[in-house]
Amino acid sequence: MLDLIPSLSSWPPAVAGERYAVATVVAATGSVPRPVGTSMLVAGSGAVLGSLSGGCVEGAVVALALEAMHDGGTRHGTFGYSAADAFAAGLTCGGELGIHIEPAGHSLRDALVRLATVRPGEPVALVRRLDAGGSGAVVIPDPATFSVAGSREAAALLDAGGDQTGVAHTGVAQLESFLRGGGSGVVTMAAPGTCPTGPDAAAPDEARQPVTLLVETRLAPPRMLVFGANDFGAAMVPAAKLLGYRVTLVDARPAFAGQARFACADDVVTAWPHRYLAAEAAEGRLDRRTVVCVLSHDPKFDIPLLESALALDLAYVGAMGSRRSHLQRVDDLLNIGVRPEKIAQLHSPIGLDLGAVTPAEVAVSVTAELIASRSRKSSCTPLRETSGPIHAPASQPAPTTLSQQEIAWT
């Protein structure tokens, strides 16, 4: 849903005040094209904003959305591959999607209007009730510091009211941790006053229905620090921005850093690389999602910079250079006391073996290695030579996103 917000304000049905329903992926197994949280809006006129599968199931979802708007109820559809029925709506890729569909009521519309005022890239979360026992949506403006006890809207959404004992329970603490970590997915919590398991568990007709939430979190964009104002840096900056990074170009030489070709970087800094990195770390502006690409290929810059970078807990540290340069770099790092296990974390020579020659091709090589480094299952093998699902679960920069988490709140 968060991805649709920039387009919602100009979507003709929304501008005209037309009714619409929201269809959202709430479960995804096997090879599927879109992750949990992906949404599509369907207006009463049949107009559509967004996509759930790239075309496989959209027609059936539109029909269910129109039905939901007609009677005001919710719908849930499960779509998978059916070899027996060639005309059934399903996923040709072989996976399975669970899709929740509901008419957009006042609470959800108000939440979407509020989201539209959030600046691009600003941290935010949207929490929606999916179970039959509740409804509504809450916007969390700063998920990194979220507390149910500090949010009347969130407490009401969970039916927690003013019960501080329920709010303080481990289940809520786990929900708060889920939000603070940038999680997006379905969270199921047992209702207050019930015991989900054990001999004293309430009978099904006596127990309250569990609270099911769809949580979508957007943290501040991860950072990529590109060191080296040269042809390779100029190609790397726009490539990194395509992956959603906030890109900072750093070079100690004002005449090089000030060139117009680096204007698309979010920040251009003229400073000694290792001093800048140390200052950013000291100010807490780096985290486990941060990427460092050392493209300067100059030992007087590279060695102190790599010494600093390898001492930090970062997502990726890579350095450009030939194999001969890499061997000399390793010797230099060992001589100044960098431990071998830290040097082993360095991606050098940087990038995958794609036969890259030009700066643009090298940028593709580096970003390919960066994407591959996020997943332990990546083989970097052509898909035609592999088996199993080709659509990996959608990744967010570290920490790893959970697609579904079961939380017991008793």
Side-chain angles (χ1 to χ4, degrees), residues 24-329:
T24 305
V25 176
V26 295
T29 58
S31 181
V32 294
R34 302 302 305 277
V36 170
T38 302
S39 292
M40 180 176 79
L41 307 186
V42 181
S45 61
V48 170
L49 177 65
S51 174
L52 299 176
S53 70
C56 303
V57 305
E58 272 75 1
V61 172
V62 168
L64 290 173
L66 294 175
E67 290 180 9
M69 282 186 283
H70 177 72
D71 61 23
T74 61
R75 299 289 189 276
H76 185 92
T78 300
F79 300 90
Y81 176 71
S82 174
D85 187 354
F87 296 99
L91 299 176
T92 58
C93 51
E96 184 173 279
L97 288 177
I99 298 176
H100 174 83
I101 303 162
E102 65 172 313
H106 292 298
S107 177
L108 181 54
R109 283 176 175 266
D110 289 346
L112 297 182
V113 169
R114 185 177 175 187
L115 282 171
T117 65
V118 178
R119 293 178 297 177
E122 187 174 338
V124 71
L126 176 66
V127 181
R128 295 163 51 193
R129 279 287 289 266
L130 301 182
D131 58 277
S135 62
V138 171
V139 174
I140 308 297
D142 188 3
T145 61
F146 171 71
S147 167
V148 171
S151 171
R152 292 183 178 179
E153 290 180 317
L157 188 72
L158 298 173
D159 288 337
D163 183 1
Q164 295 301 310
T165 58
V167 168
H169 193 274
T170 303
V172 175
Q174 292 185 43
L175 172 60
E176 292 169 347
S177 177
F178 190 67
L179 279 162
R180 293 169 185 171
S184 291
V186 174
V187 175
T188 302
M189 303 191 297
T194 66
C195 181
T197 59
D200 298 326
D205 57 343
E206 297 174 353
R208 294 181 59 183
Q209 292 297 312
V211 174
T212 303
L213 305 172
L214 176 64
V215 181
E216 299 176 72
T217 310
R218 183 183 72 198
L219 299 181
R223 295 187 65 187
M224 177 183 285
L225 308 182
V226 177
F227 294 93
N230 51 34
D231 291 344
F232 297 100
M236 193 67 226
V237 169
K241 289 183 68 66
L242 284 175
L243 296 183
Y245 287 93
R246 179 178 179 86
V247 184
T248 301
L249 179 88
V250 184
D251 200 292
R253 305 163 298 177
F256 288 86
Q259 297 177 59
R261 59 178 175 165
F262 302 115
C264 66
D266 295 289
D267 304 287
V268 176
V269 176
T270 302
W272 274 81
H274 70 287
R275 294 172 184 167
Y276 174 76
L277 185 69
E280 291 296 284
E283 291 295 327
R285 290 193 282 263
L286 308 179
D287 58 29
R288 296 180 61 193
R289 304 178 300 157
T290 301
V291 169
V292 167
C293 291
V294 182
L295 308 181
S296 45
H297 199 209
D298 186 334
K300 69 175 178 291
F301 295 128
D302 295 358
I303 300 306
L305 173 59
L306 290 173
E307 180 185 14
S308 297
L310 292 173
L312 301 173
D313 187 11
L314 306 178
Y316 175 99
V317 179
M320 176 175 284
S322 66
R323 297 188 190 281
R324 179 179 178 181
S325 296
H326 170 68
L327 293 176
Q328 182 61 55
R329 182 180 294 142

